[in-house]
Amino acid sequence: MSSAYRRLLEAARHLDLDPEVLEKLKTPREFTQARLTIAMDDGSTKCFTAFRCRYDDTRGPTKGGIRYAKDVDADDVKELALQMTLKCSLLKLPFGGAKGGVVVDANSLSIRELERLDRAFIRAFARVIGPDRDIPAPDMYTNETTMAHMADEYYTIVGKKTPAVITGKPVAQGGSLGRDDATARGGFYIIQHKADTLRLEPGMTVVIIGYGNAGMHYARLAAAAGCKIVAVFDSKGGVGNPAGLDIDKLEAVKSQGSVTGMVGSPGVSELSSDAMLAVPCDLLVMAAKENMVHAGNAGSIKAKVILELANGPITPEADAILEAMNVVIIPDALANAGGVTVSYYEWVQNRQGESWSLEKVQERLKTEMVSQADAVWAYAQEKNISLRQAAYVIALSRIAEAMKALK
Ligand code: GLU
């Protein structure tokens, strides 16, 4: 059974649910698998397995990213699609949840091969997606260029420009201002708003695990606000500086390959990935992949607070260990919901033919994140449960309400 469904069963104990709700949410509404065939630059042909899962659409058309990863499988995509269903519900977005994936090492393809893959994905799934049916977005190892190719292929197939079919597009192709750093910014707003409650000072020490879109933007926002980024890790290793890492330099070396390129700069030491959870800090930002914190390593964590910018970085077993250690976890469904929230703004703008200012996007995002964070905190306190359980109960109760309204 998936971690998300296990947590859902746990949350259901706090609600007087119609058993039909859990029965429905046990399996996805629709799961499609396809073979993508593309021409490689050397003239050969290669096939890639691709998935799209529309988990549940009771609350609206399904929404969720597409990831390119060599180890993604059908079960991961289903689990992540269920998580999207809960996230959209928690944030009161008029969407159900979905996820897509392609089994591929994106770094092994050339730019042109990647474009062929992006377009092949849409040819395979054009019948599944649509502005009122299922709306993809970026996820791990996909970005705004991927979305531009995908949207363009979709327009060719349907014979019209329907930009609301995909979010996370480049601004020059109908994307929204503020979508690029929205995932990190949403989490950052929560930390700022709850700093006193969490006993975090403005100069707090921060460790960031994962330096993709979310981790990199979090580092930038936090450093600008006076936090000390004492360690950063990517898939190649980590770097640390107790006095705080220079974010501009970090971004420059990352664009050449890895954050480990910082080794040799004054005050910077190389850190082993094996010890990454054990670096002492006030705030640990998990911005890499799923299940990185598990029963075998949770005990080594030295942070006061964990912000889950990735989806599912902590297993249910590790949750229990961290709770006993009094580590506060700000759960993924809330912590990283800024991304899909601004995706929703992009969808609204596309449908209305508008383009909002950056100020308007950020202001609305802040209001939304703060108000949902307050709701989760208040519910957790009232019921004496964790923030994760509170987020699950709130999200599940809204889905149940929508199902009931159909009866
Ligand atoms: N992939 C992101 C997530 O997991 C964004 C999804 C979206 O914008 O639809 O939340």
Side-chain angles (χ1 to χ4, degrees):
M1 192 189 295
S2 77
S3 300
Y5 193 72
R6 271 167 70 185
R7 285 169 168 149
L8 206 67
L9 291 181
E10 172 76 29
R13 297 198 294 127
H14 297 274
L15 294 166
D16 183 19
L17 277 189
D18 182 339
E20 194 181 307
V21 176
L22 291 176
E23 177 64 15
K24 279 187 173 163
L25 293 177
K26 208 191 254 174
T27 51
R29 176 176 167 80
E30 187 179 302
F31 180 81
T32 318
Q33 180 168 330
R35 182 185 65 211
L36 311 185
T37 307
I38 65 162
M40 305 299 281
D41 293 346
D42 65 4
S44 66
T45 297
K46 262 201 176 150
C47 294
F48 300 90
T49 304
F51 316 102
R52 184 73 183 168
C53 175
R54 297 176 63 240
Y55 204 93
D56 184 74
D57 67 347
T58 314
R59 296 188 63 267
T62 50
K63 184 88 194 79
I66 298 168
R67 69 172 53 179
Y68 288 175
K70 51 179 186 284
D71 53 359
V72 67
D73 63 23
D75 286 340
D76 295 339
V77 170
K78 290 177 191 170
E79 159 102 20
L80 291 159
L82 172 55
Q83 287 175 16
M84 282 307 300
T85 310
L86 297 164
K87 190 174 354 186
C88 292
S89 173
L90 181 67
L91 266 288
K92 292 192 188 157
L93 306 177
F95 292 137
K99 202 75 164 201
V102 181
V103 187
V104 60
D105 176 2
N107 292 325
S108 71
L109 299 190
S110 72
I111 289 178
R112 287 295 146 228
E113 288 165 346
L114 273 175
E115 174 169 356
R116 283 179 220 127
L117 189 68
D118 305 340
R119 291 181 182 276
F121 185 94
I122 293 302
R123 286 197 296 278
F125 293 96
R127 284 165 299 145
V128 172
I129 66 170
D132 295 304
R133 192 170 200 280
D134 177 31
I135 305 123
D139 197 80
M140 283 167 70
Y141 300 107
T142 54
N143 55 31
E144 59 171 35
T145 307
T146 322
M147 298 304 119
H149 296 152
M150 288 185 167
D152 188 58
E153 190 67 24
Y154 186 79
Y155 306 155
T156 307
I157 292 170
V158 299
K160 53 188 173 188
K161 291 246 175 186
T162 52
V165 66
I166 282 172
T167 61
K169 301 179 294 296
V171 174
Q173 275 294 329
S176 176
L177 290 169
R179 176 64 185 84
D180 52 352
D181 72 354
T183 304
R185 187 172 284 276
F188 176 72
Y189 286 150
I190 298 174
I191 294 292
Q192 270 191 322
H193 179 61
K194 291 290 176 193
D196 288 348
T197 316
L198 293 166
R199 289 176 296 110
L200 294 172
E201 307 282 335
M204 70 185 93
T205 53
V206 182
V207 170
I208 300 179
I209 297 183
Y211 199 69
N213 174 289
M216 192 256 279
H217 283 295
Y218 197 90
R220 199 188 285 175
L221 289 165
C227 305
K228 235 189 257 173
I229 315 296
V230 291
V232 171
F233 294 84
D234 63 19
S235 57
K236 311 240 164 52
V239 285
N241 183 350
L245 291 159
D246 179 329
I247 297 306
D248 292 334
K249 269 201 199 146
L250 205 55
E251 284 180 24
V253 298
K254 180 66 184 181
S255 68
Q256 304 298 314
S258 165
V259 295
T260 52
M262 281 283 275
V263 176
S265 304
V268 175
S269 54
E270 186 162 10
L271 301 175
S272 144
S273 299
D274 297 339
M276 64 187 169
L277 296 175
V279 181
C281 60
D282 298 315
L283 175 68
L284 174 60
V285 178
M286 295 301 299
K289 39 183 202 173
E290 306 87 76
N291 302 326
M292 287 189 73
V293 181
H294 47 74
N297 60 17
S300 65
I301 287 181
K302 303 276 190 311
K304 274 205 273 200
V305 177
I306 303 179
L307 182 71
E308 292 189 325
L309 282 191
N311 290 311
I314 301 178
T315 66
E317 293 76 20
D319 264 352
I321 296 170
L322 292 164
E323 200 169 328
M325 289 161 62
N326 286 324
V327 178
V328 179
I329 301 169
I330 306 177
D332 47 8
L334 178 67
N336 70 36
V340 71
T341 300
V342 177
S343 272
Y344 165 61
Y345 300 159
E346 181 172 334
W347 183 76
V348 170
Q349 291 170 75
N350 290 160
R351 293 172 76 94
Q352 299 181 339
E354 288 183 5
S355 52
W356 299 355
S357 68
L358 183 60
E359 291 68 36
K360 178 168 173 172
V361 169
Q362 291 180 350
E363 215 171 276
R364 286 186 69 150
L365 176 64
K366 188 172 192 170
T367 308
E368 215 47 62
M369 295 310 298
V370 161
S371 114
Q372 299 316 325
D374 281 344
V376 170
W377 249 267
Y379 195 83
Q381 204 163 22
E382 183 194 322
K383 303 279 180 204
N384 196 22
I385 55 178
S386 69
L387 296 173
R388 185 179 326 275
Q389 285 168 332
Y392 265 74
V393 177
I394 296 170
L396 180 58
S397 68
R398 271 192 206 124
I399 297 168
E401 200 185 322
M403 286 181 178
K404 194 169 164 198
L406 280 171
K407 286 208 157 183

